[in-house]
Amino acid sequence: MRILIRWAITAVAVFVAGELVSGFELRERVVSMLIVAGILGLVNTLLGTVLRILSIPFPDRDDD
C-alpha cells in the first residue's frame, strides 16, 4: 500500500513539474505520469541501494 501512495505522490509531482516548467510536456497525461513516476521510483530505489552499499565504512588497513 505504501508503494502505491509513493507512486501517486510522485505522479502528482510529475504533473506539477509539467505545468510549471516550460518545454516539459506529457502527451497522454495520466498514463505518462504513471509511467514516469514508476521509472523515477525504480531509479530512486536502485540508486539509493547502490549509494548505501558504497557508503559502508571500510576499516583502515594501516598496520604500522
Side-chain angles (χ1 to χ4, degrees):
M1 185 66 169
R2 201 159 90 179
I3 289 175
L4 293 176
I5 293 170
R6 283 185 169 186
W7 192 23
I9 291 170
T10 305
V12 171
V14 169
F15 171 75
V16 170
E19 295 297 316
L20 294 177
V21 177
S22 61
F24 182 77
E25 181 181 335
L26 297 171
R27 298 206 175 156
E28 297 169 13
R29 290 196 180 252
V30 175
V31 175
S32 296
M33 285 187 304
L34 292 176
I35 290 171
V36 171
I39 292 170
L40 286 174
L42 286 173
V43 168
N44 284 336
T45 300
L46 294 174
L47 188 60
T49 302
V50 169
L51 290 176
R52 271 189 228 104
I53 290 171
L54 291 176
S55 68
I56 296 173
F58 293 103
D60 190 16
R61 296 263 181 180
D62 192 18
D63 294 330
D64 286 61

